[in-house]
């Protein structure tokens, strides 16, 4: 996939950078205040020291703010600033660490929930940690998705058998890979279903989900293809919300009565066989499929579901 400055992984990465910088700088500032005045009086925190006495080794570590300051500096300060530097240097480890340190902040705040009375600061920083962790996960997922690539030159046998056809719809490229592999095995020609609705990106994901939840067909570009000219057609479809992808539903509706023999390749994130989806496609096409292959796909790694 072609890179550009507006990719989802880069946008999520910028948000993650903001979280790591904010949390890191705030932690360093707080730790510095504790270490400069271990009594906590300068920061108005001296009244909170008694709450620390419920922690193990309190008589040694929590008589002032020296140890809490060091812990805050290491656990939430230097760690997040390190992740921020790695993100600025475009290192993949920065994405992973940024998300992990969001979880670390949540665990840190959980300790505060135990020892302090309910308070606004602990609650809001727990939310900050959650947002940081989610942003890190999103950046990691988007980066994986954008790195996925399908090169047609890897499939030299495609188009050598004019009696077979592989039809597919692919939003992220995963189904496209399965379609190319199926076509390469039989020499089939390949036809890609093009949706007339927006399907790309995060907005497209939610828009497609709306169609899928209602089991609506999605408008597609005119199928400029004589399906009756092929002896066998393979239809490759993603699974949307545990059902048939809406553009493929519309294709099947338009192809009813025109296909002589058909088999299916269904690509999804779970381990299900989705026999109900194959049955729906049969009803739409007015034909019984010869076979149906269920393929689990996670971040471009494929596994046949048996």
């Amino acid at each position: 996939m072609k890179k550009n400055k507006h990719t989802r992984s880069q946008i999520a990465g910028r948000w993650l950078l903001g979280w790591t910088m904010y949390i890191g700088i705030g932690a360093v500032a707080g730790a510095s205040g504790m270490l400069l005045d271990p009594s906590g009086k300068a920061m108005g925190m001296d009244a909170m020291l008694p709450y620390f006495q419920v922690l193990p080794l309190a008589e040694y570590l929590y008589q002032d703010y020296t140890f809490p300051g060091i812990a805050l500096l290491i656990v939430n300060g230097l760690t997040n600033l390190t992740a921020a530097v790695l993100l600025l240097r475009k290192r993949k480890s920065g994405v992973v660490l940024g998300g992990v340190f969001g979880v670390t902040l949540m665990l840190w705040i959980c300790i505060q929930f135990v020892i302090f009375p309910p308070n606004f600061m602990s609650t809001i920083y727990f939310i900050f940690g959650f947002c940081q962790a989610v942003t890190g996960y999103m950046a990691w997922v988007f980066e994986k998705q954008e790195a996925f690539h399908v090169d047609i030159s890897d499939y030299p046998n495609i188009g050598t058998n004019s009696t077979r056809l592989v039809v597919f719809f692919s939003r992220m490229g995963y189904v496209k890979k399965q379609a190319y592999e199926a076509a390469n095995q039989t020499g089939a020609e390949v036809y890609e279903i093009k949706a007339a609705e927006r399907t790309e990106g995060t907005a497209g994901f939610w828009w497609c989900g709306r169609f899928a939840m209602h089991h609506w067909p999605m408008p597609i570009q005119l199928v400029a293809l004589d399906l009756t000219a092929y002896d066998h057609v393979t239809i490759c479809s993603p699974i949307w919300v545990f059902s048939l992808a809406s553009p493929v539903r519309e294709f099947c509706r338009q192809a009813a009565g025109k296909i002589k023999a058909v088999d299916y390749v269904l690509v999804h994130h779970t381990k299900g066989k989705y026999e109900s989806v194959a049955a729906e496609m049969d009803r739409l096409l007015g034909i019984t499929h010869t076979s149906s292959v269920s393929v689990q796909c996670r971040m471009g790694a494929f596994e046949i579901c048996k």
Side-chain angles (χ1 to χ4, degrees), residues 112-299:
Q112 294 188 11
F113 286 152
V114 172
I115 64 177
F116 297 143
N119 62 90
F120 174 79
M121 289 298 294
S122 293
T123 302
I124 196 64
Y125 268 88
F126 183 88
I127 295 173
F128 288 167
F130 176 78
C131 291
Q132 180 179 341
V134 170
T135 305
Y137 178 73
M138 291 173 60
W140 179 75
V141 169
F142 292 157
E143 189 175 78
K144 287 279 189 180
Q145 291 175 340
E146 291 165 9
F148 185 80
H149 177 68
V150 181
D151 189 349
I152 193 171
S153 64
D154 294 333
Y155 308 95
N157 201 38
I158 290 178
T160 58
N161 183 353
S162 60
T163 66
R164 295 186 67 105
L165 175 69
V166 172
V167 177
F168 75 94
F169 173 81
S170 185
R171 202 179 70 88
M172 301 299 301
Y174 301 132
V175 181
K176 181 177 182 179
K177 181 176 178 64
Q178 289 298 303
Y180 279 14
E181 290 186 353
N184 195 56
Q185 290 175 3
T186 62
E189 297 177 357
V190 173
Y191 176 79
E192 181 176 3
I193 301 169
K194 295 288 189 180
E197 299 278 346
R198 178 177 180 178
T199 61
E200 299 83 10
T202 302
F205 170 81
W206 294 109
W207 189 244
C208 291
R210 175 174 177 267
F211 275 82
M213 285 190 296
H214 292 281
H215 290 198
W216 291 338
M218 179 179 285
I220 60 176
Q221 293 181 11
L222 180 66
V223 181
L225 196 66
D226 182 10
L227 296 172
T228 63
Y230 298 94
D231 294 335
H232 192 101
V233 176
T234 298
I235 301 178
C236 302
S237 173
I239 298 296
W240 287 0
V241 195
F242 307 105
S243 64
L244 179 64
S246 297
V248 181
R249 180 177 287 114
E250 175 61 19
F251 171 84
C252 291
R253 190 185 68 80
Q254 294 186 21
K258 300 178 183 178
I259 294 178
K260 300 174 183 177
V262 68
D263 68 296
Y264 309 132
V265 177
L266 306 176
V267 183
H268 47 83
H269 190 70
T270 68
K271 288 186 175 293
K273 292 186 177 180
Y274 293 96
E275 294 175 351
S276 61
V277 172
E280 180 186 357
M281 295 171 76
D282 283 351
R283 289 194 300 272
L284 291 169
L285 292 169
I287 191 174
T288 300
H289 63 277
T290 58
S291 68
S292 179
V293 178
S294 179
V295 182
Q296 182 186 42
C297 174
R298 293 187 174 180
M299 300 299 177

Side-chain angles (χ1 to χ4, degrees), residues 2-42:
K2 185 178 179 181
K3 299 283 184 179
N4 61 71
K5 64 180 180 179
H6 300 297
T7 63
R8 294 188 299 165
S9 66
Q10 290 174 330
I11 293 172
R14 293 190 189 106
W15 276 96
L16 183 59
L17 175 61
W19 282 118
T20 55
M21 291 288 288
Y22 177 78
I23 300 300
I25 293 173
V28 169
S32 299
M34 293 179 184
L35 295 175
L36 290 173
D37 179 19
S39 71
K41 292 181 179 180

